[in-house]
mmCIF file of all heavy atoms in Angstrom:
data_model
loop_
_atom_site.group_PDB
_atom_site.id
_atom_site.type_symbol
_atom_site.label_atom_id
_atom_site.label_comp_id
_atom_site.label_asym_id
_atom_site.label_seq_id
_atom_site.Cartn_x
_atom_site.Cartn_y
_atom_site.Cartn_z
ATOM 1 N N PRO A 268 86.718 183.267 225.957
ATOM 2 C CA PRO A 268 85.306 182.903 226.120
ATOM 3 C C PRO A 268 84.974 181.519 225.549
ATOM 4 O O PRO A 268 84.185 180.781 226.137
ATOM 5 C CB PRO A 268 84.561 184.005 225.358
ATOM 6 C CG PRO A 268 85.489 185.179 225.413
ATOM 7 C CD PRO A 268 86.870 184.581 225.325
ATOM 8 N N GLU A 269 85.587 181.159 224.443
ATOM 9 C CA GLU A 269 85.363 179.825 223.870
ATOM 10 C C GLU A 269 85.933 178.746 224.797
ATOM 11 O O GLU A 269 85.324 177.696 224.999
ATOM 12 C CB GLU A 269 86.014 179.721 222.493
ATOM 13 C CG GLU A 269 85.774 178.387 221.822
ATOM 14 C CD GLU A 269 86.439 178.284 220.461
ATOM 15 O OE1 GLU A 269 86.554 179.302 219.749
ATOM 16 O OE2 GLU A 269 86.849 177.159 220.114
ATOM 17 N N LEU A 270 87.084 179.011 225.375
ATOM 18 C CA LEU A 270 87.691 178.072 226.321
ATOM 19 C C LEU A 270 86.766 177.861 227.515
ATOM 20 O O LEU A 270 86.512 176.736 227.928
ATOM 21 C CB LEU A 270 89.044 178.599 226.788
ATOM 22 C CG LEU A 270 89.774 177.734 227.806
ATOM 23 C CD1 LEU A 270 90.280 176.449 227.175
ATOM 24 C CD2 LEU A 270 90.919 178.515 228.430
ATOM 25 N N TRP A 271 86.234 178.943 228.058
ATOM 26 C CA TRP A 271 85.341 178.826 229.203
ATOM 27 C C TRP A 271 84.080 178.050 228.854
ATOM 28 O O TRP A 271 83.597 177.265 229.658
ATOM 29 C CB TRP A 271 85.004 180.212 229.759
ATOM 30 C CG TRP A 271 86.180 180.847 230.443
ATOM 31 C CD1 TRP A 271 87.355 180.249 230.800
ATOM 32 C CD2 TRP A 271 86.288 182.189 230.853
ATOM 33 N NE1 TRP A 271 88.181 181.155 231.404
ATOM 34 C CE2 TRP A 271 87.565 182.353 231.452
ATOM 35 C CE3 TRP A 271 85.457 183.291 230.772
ATOM 36 C CZ2 TRP A 271 88.001 183.554 231.979
ATOM 37 C CZ3 TRP A 271 85.906 184.494 231.302
ATOM 38 C CH2 TRP A 271 87.155 184.621 231.890
ATOM 39 N N ASP A 272 83.543 178.253 227.664
ATOM 40 C CA ASP A 272 82.375 177.481 227.237
ATOM 41 C C ASP A 272 82.679 175.984 227.237
ATOM 42 O O ASP A 272 81.864 175.170 227.657
ATOM 43 C CB ASP A 272 81.913 177.908 225.835
ATOM 44 C CG ASP A 272 81.180 179.232 225.839
ATOM 45 O OD1 ASP A 272 80.742 179.679 226.917
ATOM 46 O OD2 ASP A 272 81.046 179.816 224.747
ATOM 47 N N ARG A 273 83.850 175.636 226.776
ATOM 48 C CA ARG A 273 84.234 174.224 226.715
ATOM 49 C C ARG A 273 84.448 173.642 228.101
ATOM 50 O O ARG A 273 84.235 172.451 228.327
ATOM 51 C CB ARG A 273 85.473 174.060 225.851
ATOM 52 C CG ARG A 273 85.129 174.397 224.394
ATOM 53 C CD ARG A 273 86.278 174.364 223.501
ATOM 54 N NE ARG A 273 86.763 173.009 223.373
ATOM 55 C CZ ARG A 273 87.824 172.701 222.662
ATOM 56 N NH1 ARG A 273 88.493 173.645 222.032
ATOM 57 N NH2 ARG A 273 88.220 171.460 222.568
ATOM 58 N N MET A 274 84.876 174.475 229.041
ATOM 59 C CA MET A 274 85.111 174.007 230.400
ATOM 60 C C MET A 274 83.816 173.576 231.082
ATOM 61 O O MET A 274 83.848 172.795 232.026
ATOM 62 C CB MET A 274 85.794 175.083 231.251
ATOM 63 C CG MET A 274 87.186 175.477 230.807
ATOM 64 S SD MET A 274 88.385 174.149 230.549
ATOM 65 C CE MET A 274 88.402 173.300 232.080
ATOM 66 N N LEU A 275 82.692 174.048 230.600
ATOM 67 C CA LEU A 275 81.413 173.633 231.174
ATOM 68 C C LEU A 275 81.160 172.150 230.954
ATOM 69 O O LEU A 275 80.493 171.499 231.756
ATOM 70 C CB LEU A 275 80.266 174.448 230.558
ATOM 71 C CG LEU A 275 80.255 175.936 230.876
ATOM 72 C CD1 LEU A 275 79.175 176.630 230.058
ATOM 73 C CD2 LEU A 275 80.057 176.166 232.363
ATOM 74 N N ASP A 276 81.676 171.602 229.871
ATOM 75 C CA ASP A 276 81.410 170.219 229.500
ATOM 76 C C ASP A 276 82.571 169.269 229.759
ATOM 77 O O ASP A 276 82.421 168.060 229.594
ATOM 78 C CB ASP A 276 81.049 170.144 228.007
ATOM 79 C CG ASP A 276 79.803 170.941 227.676
ATOM 80 O OD1 ASP A 276 78.865 170.936 228.494
ATOM 81 O OD2 ASP A 276 79.777 171.561 226.601
ATOM 82 N N GLN A 277 83.729 169.775 230.123
ATOM 83 C CA GLN A 277 84.919 168.944 230.250
ATOM 84 C C GLN A 277 85.684 169.317 231.504
ATOM 85 O O GLN A 277 85.711 170.485 231.884
ATOM 86 C CB GLN A 277 85.850 169.152 229.038
ATOM 87 C CG GLN A 277 85.226 168.853 227.725
ATOM 88 C CD GLN A 277 86.082 169.286 226.535
ATOM 89 O OE1 GLN A 277 85.569 169.360 225.456
ATOM 90 N NE2 GLN A 277 87.362 169.563 226.704
ATOM 91 N N ASN A 278 86.324 168.331 232.141
ATOM 92 C CA ASN A 278 87.173 168.609 233.301
ATOM 93 C C ASN A 278 88.478 169.266 232.891
ATOM 94 O O ASN A 278 89.082 169.982 233.661
ATOM 95 C CB ASN A 278 87.479 167.336 234.077
ATOM 96 C CG ASN A 278 86.279 166.837 234.831
ATOM 97 O OD1 ASN A 278 85.406 167.606 235.204
ATOM 98 N ND2 ASN A 278 86.227 165.544 235.046
ATOM 99 N N PHE A 279 88.913 168.960 231.673
ATOM 100 C CA PHE A 279 90.121 169.584 231.156
ATOM 101 C C PHE A 279 89.987 169.751 229.652
ATOM 102 O O PHE A 279 89.224 169.050 229.000
ATOM 103 C CB PHE A 279 91.384 168.765 231.485
ATOM 104 C CG PHE A 279 91.490 167.458 230.749
ATOM 105 C CD1 PHE A 279 92.139 167.382 229.521
ATOM 106 C CD2 PHE A 279 90.971 166.292 231.288
ATOM 107 C CE1 PHE A 279 92.256 166.177 228.839
ATOM 108 C CE2 PHE A 279 91.081 165.082 230.620
ATOM 109 C CZ PHE A 279 91.726 165.027 229.392
ATOM 110 N N VAL A 280 90.707 170.727 229.141
ATOM 111 C CA VAL A 280 90.768 170.950 227.693
ATOM 112 C C VAL A 280 92.230 170.776 227.287
ATOM 113 O O VAL A 280 93.099 171.502 227.785
ATOM 114 C CB VAL A 280 90.270 172.354 227.310
ATOM 115 C CG1 VAL A 280 90.477 172.607 225.812
ATOM 116 C CG2 VAL A 280 88.800 172.525 227.669
ATOM 117 N N PRO A 281 92.505 169.807 226.402
ATOM 118 C CA PRO A 281 93.867 169.666 225.896
ATOM 119 C C PRO A 281 94.205 170.862 225.018
ATOM 120 O O PRO A 281 93.335 171.402 224.332
ATOM 121 C CB PRO A 281 93.817 168.392 225.055
ATOM 122 C CG PRO A 281 92.479 167.789 225.304
ATOM 123 C CD PRO A 281 91.602 168.820 225.875
ATOM 124 N N VAL A 282 95.452 171.281 225.037
ATOM 125 C CA VAL A 282 95.878 172.437 224.244
ATOM 126 C C VAL A 282 97.003 171.992 223.302
ATOM 127 O O VAL A 282 97.933 171.295 223.722
ATOM 128 C CB VAL A 282 96.350 173.590 225.143
ATOM 129 C CG1 VAL A 282 96.790 174.787 224.316
ATOM 130 C CG2 VAL A 282 95.240 173.991 226.128
ATOM 131 N N VAL A 283 96.869 172.388 222.048
ATOM 132 C CA VAL A 283 97.866 172.052 221.033
ATOM 133 C C VAL A 283 98.342 173.321 220.339
ATOM 134 O O VAL A 283 97.659 174.347 220.362
ATOM 135 C CB VAL A 283 97.299 171.067 219.978
ATOM 136 C CG1 VAL A 283 96.920 169.741 220.619
ATOM 137 C CG2 VAL A 283 96.116 171.659 219.235
ATOM 138 N N ASP A 284 99.507 173.218 219.713
ATOM 139 C CA ASP A 284 99.991 174.338 218.913
ATOM 140 C C ASP A 284 99.436 174.194 217.489
ATOM 141 O O ASP A 284 98.636 173.293 217.222
ATOM 142 C CB ASP A 284 101.517 174.439 218.948
ATOM 143 C CG ASP A 284 102.238 173.247 218.327
ATOM 144 O OD1 ASP A 284 101.605 172.438 217.605
ATOM 145 O OD2 ASP A 284 103.451 173.113 218.553
ATOM 146 N N ASP A 285 99.857 175.058 216.593
ATOM 147 C CA ASP A 285 99.306 175.041 215.234
ATOM 148 C C ASP A 285 99.726 173.809 214.426
ATOM 149 O O ASP A 285 99.193 173.556 213.360
ATOM 150 C CB ASP A 285 99.647 176.330 214.484
ATOM 151 C CG ASP A 285 101.144 176.586 214.401
ATOM 152 O OD1 ASP A 285 101.926 175.855 215.037
ATOM 153 O OD2 ASP A 285 101.512 177.538 213.691
ATOM 154 N N ARG A 286 100.652 172.998 214.954
ATOM 155 C CA ARG A 286 101.050 171.755 214.290
ATOM 156 C C ARG A 286 100.346 170.543 214.885
ATOM 157 O O ARG A 286 100.607 169.414 214.488
ATOM 158 C CB ARG A 286 102.565 171.559 214.390
ATOM 159 C CG ARG A 286 103.372 172.666 213.737
ATOM 160 C CD ARG A 286 104.863 172.524 214.042
ATOM 161 N NE ARG A 286 105.073 172.619 215.486
ATOM 162 C CZ ARG A 286 105.944 171.872 216.186
ATOM 163 N NH1 ARG A 286 106.715 171.019 215.587
ATOM 164 N NH2 ARG A 286 106.062 172.025 217.480
ATOM 165 N N GLY A 287 99.474 170.777 215.887
ATOM 166 C CA GLY A 287 98.788 169.678 216.557
ATOM 167 C C GLY A 287 99.606 169.031 217.655
ATOM 168 O O GLY A 287 99.222 168.005 218.206
ATOM 169 N N MET A 288 100.725 169.649 217.992
ATOM 170 C CA MET A 288 101.579 169.109 219.051
ATOM 171 C C MET A 288 100.986 169.457 220.412
ATOM 172 O O MET A 288 100.622 170.610 220.670
ATOM 173 C CB MET A 288 102.995 169.669 218.939
ATOM 174 C CG MET A 288 103.672 169.363 217.612
ATOM 175 S SD MET A 288 103.808 167.616 217.257
ATOM 176 C CE MET A 288 105.296 167.245 218.128
ATOM 177 N N PHE A 289 100.908 168.477 221.282
ATOM 178 C CA PHE A 289 100.360 168.651 222.616
ATOM 179 C C PHE A 289 101.281 169.526 223.447
ATOM 180 O O PHE A 289 102.473 169.254 223.567
ATOM 181 C CB PHE A 289 100.202 167.274 223.274
ATOM 182 C CG PHE A 289 99.647 167.301 224.656
ATOM 183 C CD1 PHE A 289 98.307 167.588 224.872
ATOM 184 C CD2 PHE A 289 100.445 167.022 225.750
ATOM 185 C CE1 PHE A 289 97.781 167.596 226.158
ATOM 186 C CE2 PHE A 289 99.934 167.025 227.036
ATOM 187 C CZ PHE A 289 98.596 167.313 227.233
ATOM 188 N N VAL A 290 100.727 170.615 224.013
ATOM 189 C CA VAL A 290 101.541 171.514 224.838
ATOM 190 C C VAL A 290 101.099 171.515 226.296
ATOM 191 O O VAL A 290 101.827 172.001 227.159
ATOM 192 C CB VAL A 290 101.575 172.957 224.281
ATOM 193 C CG1 VAL A 290 102.259 172.991 222.935
ATOM 194 C CG2 VAL A 290 100.190 173.564 224.202
ATOM 195 N N GLY A 291 99.910 170.988 226.595
ATOM 196 C CA GLY A 291 99.442 170.931 227.974
ATOM 197 C C GLY A 291 97.934 170.892 228.043
ATOM 198 O O GLY A 291 97.256 170.622 227.048
ATOM 199 N N ILE A 292 97.419 171.189 229.226
ATOM 200 C CA ILE A 292 95.974 171.212 229.432
ATOM 201 C C ILE A 292 95.577 172.452 230.217
ATOM 202 O O ILE A 292 96.392 173.045 230.915
ATOM 203 C CB ILE A 292 95.452 169.958 230.177
ATOM 204 C CG1 ILE A 292 96.031 169.864 231.595
ATOM 205 C CG2 ILE A 292 95.722 168.691 229.378
ATOM 206 C CD1 ILE A 292 95.444 168.766 232.453
ATOM 207 N N VAL A 293 94.311 172.786 230.101
ATOM 208 C CA VAL A 293 93.687 173.787 230.972
ATOM 209 C C VAL A 293 92.631 173.027 231.752
ATOM 210 O O VAL A 293 91.794 172.341 231.160
ATOM 211 C CB VAL A 293 93.054 174.938 230.160
ATOM 212 C CG1 VAL A 293 92.294 175.874 231.082
ATOM 213 C CG2 VAL A 293 94.114 175.691 229.379
ATOM 214 N N THR A 294 92.680 173.127 233.074
ATOM 215 C CA THR A 294 91.712 172.420 233.897
ATOM 216 C C THR A 294 90.567 173.344 234.318
ATOM 217 O O THR A 294 90.742 174.561 234.419
ATOM 218 C CB THR A 294 92.371 171.856 235.174
ATOM 219 O OG1 THR A 294 92.861 172.941 235.964
ATOM 220 C CG2 THR A 294 93.492 170.887 234.828
ATOM 221 N N ARG A 295 89.443 172.736 234.554
ATOM 222 C CA ARG A 295 88.287 173.482 235.052
ATOM 223 C C ARG A 295 88.647 174.150 236.371
ATOM 224 O O ARG A 295 88.285 175.284 236.636
ATOM 225 C CB ARG A 295 87.099 172.538 235.234
ATOM 226 C CG ARG A 295 85.837 173.257 235.627
ATOM 227 C CD ARG A 295 84.691 172.300 235.849
ATOM 228 N NE ARG A 295 84.334 171.618 234.617
ATOM 229 C CZ ARG A 295 83.568 170.544 234.572
ATOM 230 N NH1 ARG A 295 83.098 170.015 235.681
ATOM 231 N NH2 ARG A 295 83.261 169.989 233.432
ATOM 232 N N ARG A 296 89.404 173.450 237.178
ATOM 233 C CA ARG A 296 89.810 173.978 238.479
ATOM 234 C C ARG A 296 90.609 175.277 238.343
ATOM 235 O O ARG A 296 90.396 176.227 239.095
ATOM 236 C CB ARG A 296 90.626 172.922 239.210
ATOM 237 C CG ARG A 296 91.113 173.365 240.538
ATOM 238 C CD ARG A 296 92.006 172.314 241.169
ATOM 239 N NE ARG A 296 92.116 172.610 242.572
ATOM 240 C CZ ARG A 296 92.058 171.726 243.531
ATOM 241 N NH1 ARG A 296 91.907 170.464 243.245
ATOM 242 N NH2 ARG A 296 92.160 172.094 244.780
ATOM 243 N N SER A 297 91.554 175.321 237.385
ATOM 244 C CA SER A 297 92.378 176.527 237.234
ATOM 245 C C SER A 297 91.538 177.719 236.789
ATOM 246 O O SER A 297 91.753 178.845 237.239
ATOM 247 C CB SER A 297 93.538 176.289 236.268
ATOM 248 O OG SER A 297 93.079 176.057 234.958
ATOM 249 N N VAL A 298 90.559 177.471 235.942
ATOM 250 C CA VAL A 298 89.682 178.557 235.484
ATOM 251 C C VAL A 298 88.800 179.035 236.637
ATOM 252 O O VAL A 298 88.645 180.236 236.854
ATOM 253 C CB VAL A 298 88.835 178.111 234.278
ATOM 254 C CG1 VAL A 298 87.785 179.144 233.929
ATOM 255 C CG2 VAL A 298 89.733 177.827 233.073
ATOM 256 N N MET A 299 88.241 178.097 237.398
ATOM 257 C CA MET A 299 87.385 178.481 238.524
ATOM 258 C C MET A 299 88.176 179.254 239.577
ATOM 259 O O MET A 299 87.681 180.248 240.122
ATOM 260 C CB MET A 299 86.733 177.244 239.138
ATOM 261 C CG MET A 299 85.672 176.634 238.232
ATOM 262 S SD MET A 299 85.004 175.092 238.876
ATOM 263 C CE MET A 299 84.236 175.647 240.369
ATOM 264 N N ALA A 300 89.390 178.820 239.870
ATOM 265 C CA ALA A 300 90.219 179.520 240.858
ATOM 266 C C ALA A 300 90.500 180.944 240.396
ATOM 267 O O ALA A 300 90.420 181.890 241.191
ATOM 268 C CB ALA A 300 91.526 178.758 241.077
ATOM 269 N N TYR A 301 90.804 181.100 239.121
ATOM 270 C CA TYR A 301 91.056 182.436 238.581
ATOM 271 C C TYR A 301 89.815 183.317 238.726
ATOM 272 O O TYR A 301 89.898 184.457 239.186
ATOM 273 C CB TYR A 301 91.453 182.353 237.112
ATOM 274 C CG TYR A 301 91.429 183.697 236.430
ATOM 275 C CD1 TYR A 301 92.449 184.620 236.633
ATOM 276 C CD2 TYR A 301 90.360 184.064 235.609
ATOM 277 C CE1 TYR A 301 92.415 185.864 236.035
ATOM 278 C CE2 TYR A 301 90.316 185.304 235.000
ATOM 279 C CZ TYR A 301 91.346 186.205 235.216
ATOM 280 O OH TYR A 301 91.300 187.439 234.629
ATOM 281 N N LEU A 302 88.657 182.786 238.360
ATOM 282 C CA LEU A 302 87.424 183.577 238.425
ATOM 283 C C LEU A 302 87.073 183.943 239.865
ATOM 284 O O LEU A 302 86.640 185.068 240.130
ATOM 285 C CB LEU A 302 86.271 182.822 237.757
ATOM 286 C CG LEU A 302 86.395 182.654 236.248
ATOM 287 C CD1 LEU A 302 85.299 181.735 235.724
ATOM 288 C CD2 LEU A 302 86.369 183.995 235.540
ATOM 289 N N MET A 303 87.271 183.016 240.785
ATOM 290 C CA MET A 303 86.977 183.312 242.189
ATOM 291 C C MET A 303 87.909 184.393 242.723
ATOM 292 O O MET A 303 87.481 185.305 243.416
ATOM 293 C CB MET A 303 87.085 182.045 243.025
ATOM 294 C CG MET A 303 85.953 181.070 242.768
ATOM 295 S SD MET A 303 86.128 179.538 243.682
ATOM 296 C CE MET A 303 85.908 180.119 245.358
ATOM 297 N N ASN A 304 89.186 184.296 242.408
ATOM 298 C CA ASN A 304 90.152 185.299 242.875
ATOM 299 C C ASN A 304 89.900 186.652 242.227
ATOM 300 O O ASN A 304 90.038 187.689 242.859
ATOM 301 C CB ASN A 304 91.589 184.838 242.607
ATOM 302 C CG ASN A 304 91.985 183.728 243.530
ATOM 303 O OD1 ASN A 304 91.483 183.600 244.636
ATOM 304 N ND2 ASN A 304 92.885 182.883 243.063
ATOM 305 N N ARG A 305 89.516 186.626 240.979
ATOM 306 C CA ARG A 305 89.263 187.870 240.242
ATOM 307 C C ARG A 305 88.074 188.629 240.832
ATOM 308 O O ARG A 305 88.082 189.847 240.923
ATOM 309 C CB ARG A 305 88.999 187.537 238.778
ATOM 310 C CG ARG A 305 88.797 188.733 237.916
ATOM 311 C CD ARG A 305 88.698 188.317 236.475
ATOM 312 N NE ARG A 305 88.198 189.418 235.706
ATOM 313 C CZ ARG A 305 87.369 189.311 234.693
ATOM 314 N NH1 ARG A 305 86.958 188.133 234.309
ATOM 315 N NH2 ARG A 305 86.962 190.373 234.058
ATOM 316 N N LYS A 306 87.053 187.897 241.221
ATOM 317 C CA LYS A 306 85.860 188.523 241.783
ATOM 318 C C LYS A 306 85.984 188.764 243.280
ATOM 319 O O LYS A 306 85.085 189.310 243.885
ATOM 320 C CB LYS A 306 84.624 187.634 241.521
ATOM 321 C CG LYS A 306 84.283 187.479 240.062
ATOM 322 C CD LYS A 306 83.785 188.769 239.497
ATOM 323 C CE LYS A 306 83.330 188.578 238.064
ATOM 324 N NZ LYS A 306 82.989 189.799 237.416
ATOM 325 N N GLY A 307 87.077 188.283 243.867
ATOM 326 C CA GLY A 307 87.252 188.470 245.304
ATOM 327 C C GLY A 307 86.301 187.628 246.113
ATOM 328 O O GLY A 307 85.959 187.973 247.231
ATOM 329 N N THR A 308 85.866 186.511 245.542
ATOM 330 C CA THR A 308 84.888 185.674 246.224
ATOM 331 C C THR A 308 85.509 184.426 246.814
ATOM 332 O O THR A 308 84.783 183.542 247.229
ATOM 333 C CB THR A 308 83.754 185.260 245.271
ATOM 334 O OG1 THR A 308 84.335 184.575 244.151
ATOM 335 C CG2 THR A 308 82.960 186.451 244.805
ATOM 336 N N ALA A 309 86.821 184.353 246.851
ATOM 337 C CA ALA A 309 87.457 183.188 247.444
ATOM 338 C C ALA A 309 87.142 183.196 248.943
ATOM 339 O O ALA A 309 87.443 184.150 249.636
ATOM 340 C CB ALA A 309 88.964 183.210 247.214
ATOM 341 N N ARG A 310 86.484 182.131 249.406
ATOM 342 C CA ARG A 310 86.073 182.044 250.808
ATOM 343 C C ARG A 310 86.466 180.689 251.375
ATOM 344 O O ARG A 310 86.732 179.771 250.640
ATOM 345 C CB ARG A 310 84.545 182.153 250.904
ATOM 346 C CG ARG A 310 83.980 183.382 250.268
ATOM 347 C CD ARG A 310 82.492 183.337 250.380
ATOM 348 N NE ARG A 310 81.921 184.188 249.346
ATOM 349 C CZ ARG A 310 80.661 184.242 249.086
ATOM 350 N NH1 ARG A 310 79.816 183.510 249.726
ATOM 351 N NH2 ARG A 310 80.213 185.055 248.154
ATOM 352 N N THR A 311 86.396 180.613 252.660
ATOM 353 C CA THR A 311 86.641 179.314 253.288
ATOM 354 C C THR A 311 85.384 178.482 253.178
ATOM 355 O O THR A 311 84.284 178.991 252.911
ATOM 356 C CB THR A 311 86.992 179.489 254.779
ATOM 357 O OG1 THR A 311 85.846 180.006 255.456
ATOM 358 C CG2 THR A 311 88.199 180.366 254.973
ATOM 359 N N GLY A 312 85.493 177.198 253.413
ATOM 360 C CA GLY A 312 84.347 176.310 253.345
ATOM 361 C C GLY A 312 83.230 176.716 254.300
ATOM 362 O O GLY A 312 82.054 176.611 254.000
ATOM 363 N N ASP A 313 83.607 177.230 255.520
ATOM 364 C CA ASP A 313 82.590 177.631 256.498
ATOM 365 C C ASP A 313 81.784 178.820 255.993
ATOM 366 O O ASP A 313 80.571 178.877 256.178
ATOM 367 C CB ASP A 313 83.236 177.999 257.835
ATOM 368 C CG ASP A 313 83.889 176.809 258.508
ATOM 369 O OD1 ASP A 313 83.462 175.662 258.216
ATOM 370 O OD2 ASP A 313 84.807 177.017 259.318
ATOM 371 N N GLU A 314 82.450 179.773 255.369
ATOM 372 C CA GLU A 314 81.747 180.946 254.876
ATOM 373 C C GLU A 314 80.797 180.589 253.734
ATOM 374 O O GLU A 314 79.745 181.170 253.600
ATOM 375 C CB GLU A 314 82.748 181.989 254.383
ATOM 376 C CG GLU A 314 83.578 182.604 255.487
ATOM 377 C CD GLU A 314 84.701 183.453 254.951
ATOM 378 O OE1 GLU A 314 85.189 183.156 253.840
ATOM 379 O OE2 GLU A 314 85.103 184.408 255.636
ATOM 380 N N MET A 315 81.197 179.600 252.910
ATOM 381 C CA MET A 315 80.380 179.236 251.767
ATOM 382 C C MET A 315 79.132 178.476 252.188
ATOM 383 O O MET A 315 78.120 178.509 251.513
ATOM 384 C CB MET A 315 81.197 178.413 250.780
ATOM 385 C CG MET A 315 82.300 179.223 250.137
ATOM 386 S SD MET A 315 83.224 178.260 248.953
ATOM 387 C CE MET A 315 82.116 178.373 247.556
#
C-alpha cells in the first residue's frame, strides 16, 4: 500500500536493499497493469 501511494506521485520508485544498494525500479505502468489484470478490466482501446 505504501508503494502504491508513492506511485501516484512518481513514474517509478527506485528500490534498494537494506544496505542502500540499488536493486531495480517499480514502474507505475507495472502496477497499473497488475491492477487492471487483477480486476479483469483489461480492455482494448475501442472498448475503453
Side-chain angles (χ1 to χ4, degrees):
E269 182 181 327
L270 179 70
W271 289 348
D272 284 343
R273 293 176 67 183
M274 296 308 304
L275 294 173
D276 299 322
Q277 302 170 196
N278 288 333
F279 69 91
V280 174
V282 180
V283 297
D284 64 15
D285 58 352
R286 299 172 299 141
M288 301 301 275
F289 180 73
V290 295
I292 63 173
V293 174
T294 63
R295 185 182 296 166
R296 179 184 197 137
S297 66
V298 172
M299 289 175 64
Y301 167 77
L302 292 172
M303 289 177 67
N304 288 333
R305 183 174 167 217
K306 296 291 185 187
T308 58
R310 305 178 203 172
T311 66
D313 294 335
E314 292 171 331
M315 293 181 81

